[in-house]
């Protein structure tokens, strides 16, 4: 098969479409013929040598894909050859074939085409596991989504609205904020010009946000604690603004607030399978009803993976997700 290789850590030009050995399934795994993979910000870090795959996982980038089941392991009973699926991967998606634990495979939601389905597993599992399973967002609460125009953000806005929450977002331009509004965002904050703490307080009669989904890490930690409502929950999923910040415990304690941080890629297979099962039963019906839609900026041929990385690296260019279609 062919797959994208990272010839050496570096810029987008190190991504090349080359020959690789075909993967074989273990007893609890399946091999997929990949129709498409989607691009994640973590892939950029992996390409630079700063986010290596977990032990035993392919060096080929790619955290999600769609395709058809090509081979099933001896102990897999619920998937058959030829089924159209999408999958949450620990790596290996930028390829013609990939091996994945059967528990990380999802059906393609009805109404979504096979290629577009590649854009769903990572955002769906990340948003559902953090906003719902970890932070417990419920109807009537306020959700603050940082980076509302990104892959995660565009999905989180829609999930928040579907759950009956009020959704505030940050983004880097008026144009991106208006596109977030089209997805249902209620409170629009330009992070280059406005202070999100002030804006969220103003929009909530001073209460603040019940749940914050954060991509910035250290840079936003003090202000994310400030913006929390009483009993608020801050979930950090990204460290685009650094890893070490200062946490004001007195402020957190006064609010009975919760700060947590999670990763999807490095969780044990069993935990990922539990999240995938929740997504299939709770979130897929919302996708099938059209309440939560895949937001795809562009579909490129996989040989142009380097161009896709360049696009994602340019701030403010991509709204939603980029997909790489295999030949
Ligand atoms: N922990 C996990 O399991 C997990 C899983 C998936 C993703 N993630 C992380 O989640 C984050 C988002 O992923 P993604 O796929 O959505 O990436 P993405 O599509 O590249 O989006 C990144 C977003 O960051 C925004 N941003 C940049 N500077 C900002 C600032 N100062 N304040 C607020 N937002 C800012 C950008 O907004 P503008 O473009 O409007 O400037 C952009 O929308 C990444 O850090 C990723 O690594 C974590």
């Amino acid at each position: 098969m062919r797959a994208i290789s990272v010839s050496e850590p570096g810029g987008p030009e190190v991504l090349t479409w080359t020959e690789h050995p075909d993967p074989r399934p273990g007893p609890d795994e399946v091999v997929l013929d990949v129709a498409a993979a989607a691009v994640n910000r973590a892939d950029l870090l992996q390409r630079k040598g700063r986010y290596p795959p977990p032990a035993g996982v392919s060096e080929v980038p790619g955290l999600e894909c769609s395709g058809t089941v090509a081979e099933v392991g001896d102990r897999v009973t619920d998937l058959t050859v030829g089924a159209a699926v999408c999958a949450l991967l620990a790596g290996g998606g930028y390829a013609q074939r990939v091996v994945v634990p059967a528990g990380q495979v999802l059906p393609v939601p009805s109404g979504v085409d096979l290629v577009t389905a590649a854009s769903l597993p990572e955002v769906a599992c990340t948003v559902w596991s953090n906003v719902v399973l970890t932070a417990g967002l419920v109807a009537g609460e306020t959700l603050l989504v940082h980076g509302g125009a990104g892959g995660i953000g565009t999905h989180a806005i829609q999930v928040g609205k579907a759950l009956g929450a009020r959704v505030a977002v940050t983004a880097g331009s008026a144009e991106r904020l208006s596109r977030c509004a089209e997805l249902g965002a209620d409170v629009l904050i330009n992070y280059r010009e406005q202070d999100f703490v002030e804006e969220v307080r103003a929009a909530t009669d001073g209460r603040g946000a019940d749940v914050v989904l954060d991509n910035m890490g250290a840079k936003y930690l003090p202000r994310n604690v400030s913006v929390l409502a009483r009993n608020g929950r801050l979930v950090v999923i990204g460290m685009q603004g650094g890893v070490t910040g200062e946490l004001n415990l007195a402020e957190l304690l006064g609010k009975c607030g919760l700060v947590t941080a999670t990763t999807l890629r490095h969780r044990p297979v069993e935990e990922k399978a539990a999240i995938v099962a929740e997504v299939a039963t709770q979130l897929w019906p919302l996708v099938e009803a059209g309440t939560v839609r895949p937001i795809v900026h562009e579909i490129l041929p996989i040989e142009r993976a380097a161009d896709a990385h360049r696009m994602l690296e340019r701030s403010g260019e991509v709204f939603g997700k980029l997909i790489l279609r295999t030949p």
Side-chain angles (χ1 to χ4, degrees):
M1 69 156 188
R2 290 177 87 77
I4 292 286
S5 301
V6 181
S7 55
E8 59 180 327
E13 68 284 353
V14 303
L15 300 177
T16 50
W17 183 239
T18 57
E19 206 56 42
H20 287 245
D22 268 15
R24 299 302 321 276
D28 299 305
E29 295 175 326
V30 299
V31 170
L32 307 181
D33 277 330
V34 176
V39 182
N40 282 279
R41 188 150 283 270
D43 306 343
L44 313 182
L45 290 177
Q46 178 168 335
R47 190 201 71 219
K48 292 175 189 162
R50 286 170 31 207
Y51 191 48
V57 170
S58 166
E59 294 284 332
V60 172
L63 298 176
E64 57 189 333
C65 74
S66 59
T68 49
V69 176
E71 274 182 78
V72 296
D74 294 342
R75 289 203 292 260
V76 177
T77 53
D78 55 349
L79 286 166
T80 49
V81 171
V85 296
C86 52
L88 179 71
L89 309 171
Y94 290 18
Q96 288 180 312
R97 285 195 146 197
V98 68
V99 66
V100 55
Q104 289 169 220
V105 175
L106 287 145
V108 173
S110 66
V112 177
D113 68 79
L114 186 61
V115 167
T116 302
S119 69
L120 283 172
E122 181 76 16
V123 293
C125 293
T126 302
V127 170
W128 198 263
S129 63
N130 286 290
V131 172
V132 179
L133 302 178
T134 299
L137 181 76
V138 293
E141 290 193 319
T142 297
L143 167 67
L144 169 61
V145 178
H146 285 303
I152 295 286
T154 49
H155 194 80
I157 293 168
Q158 299 181 80
V159 169
K161 292 308 293 178
L163 294 171
R166 187 145 186 250
V167 177
V169 291
T170 58
S173 73
E175 190 257 331
R176 289 166 81 70
L177 285 167
S178 75
R179 295 185 72 183
C180 292
E182 285 164 18
L183 295 177
D186 305 284
V187 182
L188 310 174
I189 305 161
N190 185 330
Y191 67 77
R192 298 185 201 276
E193 296 170 359
Q194 293 169 292
D195 174 16
F196 67 81
V197 179
E198 277 175 25
E199 297 301 322
V200 171
R201 282 193 188 143
T204 56
D205 293 328
R207 274 192 70 250
D210 301 288
V211 174
V212 179
L213 184 64
D214 175 62
N215 60 329
M216 295 304 293
K219 183 175 176 187
Y220 277 3
L221 182 58
R223 284 196 288 155
N224 275 336
V225 171
S226 294
V227 82
L228 282 183
R230 187 172 155 68
N231 294 317
R233 294 85 75 196
L234 162 63
V235 192
V236 180
I237 60 163
M239 297 172 291
Q240 289 168 226
V243 297
T244 309
E246 195 167 291
L247 178 64
N248 183 334
L249 288 169
E251 194 177 7
L252 189 66
L253 179 150
K255 294 177 170 183
C256 299
L258 185 79
V259 178
T260 185
T262 74
T263 175
L264 198 50
R265 190 185 198 184
H266 286 84
R267 289 195 194 207
V269 168
E270 303 71 38
E271 282 184 30
K272 288 187 198 171
I275 291 168
V276 164
E278 282 285 319
V279 164
T281 55
Q282 307 296 324
L283 179 52
W284 260 208
L286 296 173
V287 177
E288 294 183 341
T291 311
V292 175
R293 292 182 293 117
I295 305 299
V296 177
H297 182 83
E298 194 171 333
I299 301 170
L300 296 93
I302 199 162
E303 299 93 324
R304 289 186 55 207
D307 287 336
H309 278 216
R310 285 185 193 103
M311 288 170 74
L312 202 61
E313 270 168 356
R314 286 193 288 268
S315 169
E317 179 160 336
V318 177
F319 185 85
K321 301 275 301 189
L322 287 173
I323 289 179
L324 301 172
R325 187 204 292 264
T326 54

